[in-house]
């Protein structure tokens, strides 16, 4: 598999006291929309700053598109569009002035730069605010401008740190839709602790806890870690009719059905059995009962459950988390990763 980002045993210790990133290995496939999950203080932002060369790793190594990261890795930074949490932009400038300045710093020719700036402002919905000082923009508008800034150089990799933090529902929806659209043409890495955002836009996910990467894989693989798969079936009818239906469903092998409220059936299916086949059998029972089926909800809180389960497992492992595998002694932040 071709990777946009790859790290090995990445470690960052501040002042020989605080461990921000702890022996972390990360792989982000090229072309993926990758969600980096973790509680506050897990090390997500520090990892990004190491990739950007804004901080030097204490140990380990990191690559972006096969190039080593570090303070002098100018070529790596050219390939990354970065959006920090709550971007602090020069308030005295106007949006188009700020983007034009960035374009000049990136040495984009004027004949390419000017049309691109207009296109970006239109794409993020700020054409009506081009004459306002940045300091007068709302939180959502500032984030949109930060998004446009990350795209000025048309980079193949976007790294956005908490892009939906502090946004109202409309601005959050706009940002998620944009991530989904941009993911069609480049690699996008999004850091967040909002699990529903990850579920909506990401196809790969990494989970960080106490500086370590405790899971790195596809969304489907993470959800498979759940011990059971739940479905909610909402049906109409009288209480006694729904209760009788629940008894009939519980007679099906591999199924456990519980009532939640008068008309909601919580269905848990044995993970060793076929979900589709058992669900089809339950739907046949509903049809035979004559009760109307109001709604089916699958995977309720699935991402949240998998995420919490990962954190609980990592906390319970104790010394089992210590990695005793042999390592190369010549590892450095500027070295190449093994094939």
């Amino acid at each position: 598999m071709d990777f946009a980002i790859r790290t090995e045993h990445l470690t960052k210790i501040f002042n020989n006291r605080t461990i921000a990133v702890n022996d972390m290995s990360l792989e982000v496939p090229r072309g993926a929309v990758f969600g980096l999950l973790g509680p506050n203080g897990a090390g997500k932002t520090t990892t990004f700053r190491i990739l950007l060369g804004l901080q030097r790793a204490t140990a380990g190594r990191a690559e972006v598109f096969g190039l080593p990261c570090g303070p002098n890795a100018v070529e790596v930074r050219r390939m990354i569009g970065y959006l920090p949490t709550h971007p602090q932009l020069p308030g005295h400038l106007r949006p188009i002035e700020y983007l034009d300045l960035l374009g000049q710093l990136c040495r984009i020719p004027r004949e390419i730069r000017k049309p691109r700036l207009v296109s970006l402002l239109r794409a993020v919905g700020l054409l009506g605010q081009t004459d306002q000082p940045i300091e007068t923009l709302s939180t959502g508008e500032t984030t949109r401008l930060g998004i446009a800034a990350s795209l000025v150089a048309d980079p193949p990799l976007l790294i956005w740190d908490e892009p939906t933090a502090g946004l109202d529902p409309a601005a959050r929806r706009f940002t998620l839709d944009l991530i989904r659209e941009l993911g069609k043409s480049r690699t996008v890495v999004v850091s967040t602790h909002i699990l529903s955002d990850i579920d909506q836009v990401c196809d790969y996910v990494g989970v960080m806890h106490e500086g370590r990467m405790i899971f790195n894989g596809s969304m489907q693989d993470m959800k498979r870690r759940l011990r059971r798969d739940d479905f909610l079936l909402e049906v109409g009818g009288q209480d006694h009719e729904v209760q009788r239906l629940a008894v009939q469903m519980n007679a099906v092998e591999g199924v456990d059905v519980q009532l939640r409220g008068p008309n909601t059936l919580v269905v848990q299916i044995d993970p060793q059995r076929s979900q589709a086949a058992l669900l089809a059998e339950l739907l046949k029972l509903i049809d035979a009962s004559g009760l109307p089926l109001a709604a089916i909800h699958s995977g309720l809180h699935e991402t949240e459950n998998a995420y919490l389960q990962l954190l609980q497992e990592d906390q319970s492992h104790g010394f089992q988390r210590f990695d005793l595998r042999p390592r190369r002694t010549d590892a450095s932040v500027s070295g190449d990763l093994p094939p």
Side-chain angles (χ1 to χ4, degrees), residues 143 161-168 171-172 175-176 179 191-192 194 197:
T143 298
D161 196 356
E162 300 279 359
T164 59
L167 299 186
D168 60 41
R172 182 165 164 263
T175 303
L176 294 176
I179 292 170
S191 162
T192 184
I194 304 175
D197 290 355

Side-chain angles (χ1 to χ4, degrees), residues 201-315:
V201 300
C202 297
D203 39 21
Y204 286 85
V205 64
V207 179
M208 289 191 71
H209 184 227
E210 296 178 345
R212 284 182 62 88
M213 186 64 60
I214 61 175
F215 178 83
N216 187 178
S218 70
M219 286 292 298
Q220 289 183 340
D221 286 343
M222 190 177 85
K223 291 177 179 179
R224 288 194 195 105
R225 297 178 65 92
L226 287 174
R227 296 184 179 88
R228 295 180 298 191
D229 291 303
D230 297 353
F231 295 87
L232 289 188
L233 304 178
E234 296 181 15
V235 297
Q238 301 296 317
D239 289 357
H240 69 279
E241 295 175 316
V242 178
Q243 291 170 4
R244 183 168 60 246
L245 175 62
V247 171
Q248 294 172 344
M249 287 181 167
N250 273 315
V252 177
E253 186 177 354
V255 170
D256 179 70
V257 179
Q258 301 293 329
L259 278 171
R260 180 184 296 174
N263 295 91
T264 301
L265 300 164
V266 180
V267 180
Q268 296 174 338
I269 294 178
D270 186 335
Q272 304 302 319
R273 304 291 298 275
S274 168
Q275 288 185 347
L278 290 177
L279 186 58
E281 193 168 344
L282 297 181
L283 293 176
K284 288 180 181 178
L285 289 175
I286 294 175
D287 186 57
S289 72
L291 300 180
L293 177 63
I296 302 176
H297 303 283
S298 64
L300 188 68
H301 304 310
E302 193 171 17
T303 304
E304 180 179 355
N305 290 338
Y307 169 64
L308 293 175
Q309 183 176 315
L310 282 165
L311 295 186
Q312 290 167 359
E313 289 175 358
D314 187 63
Q315 289 172 332

Side-chain angles (χ1 to χ4, degrees), residues 132-146:
Q132 293 181 222
I134 293 175
E135 62 189 3
T136 66
L137 300 180
S138 68
T139 299
E141 290 168 342
T142 302
T143 298
R144 292 187 185 197
L145 182 57

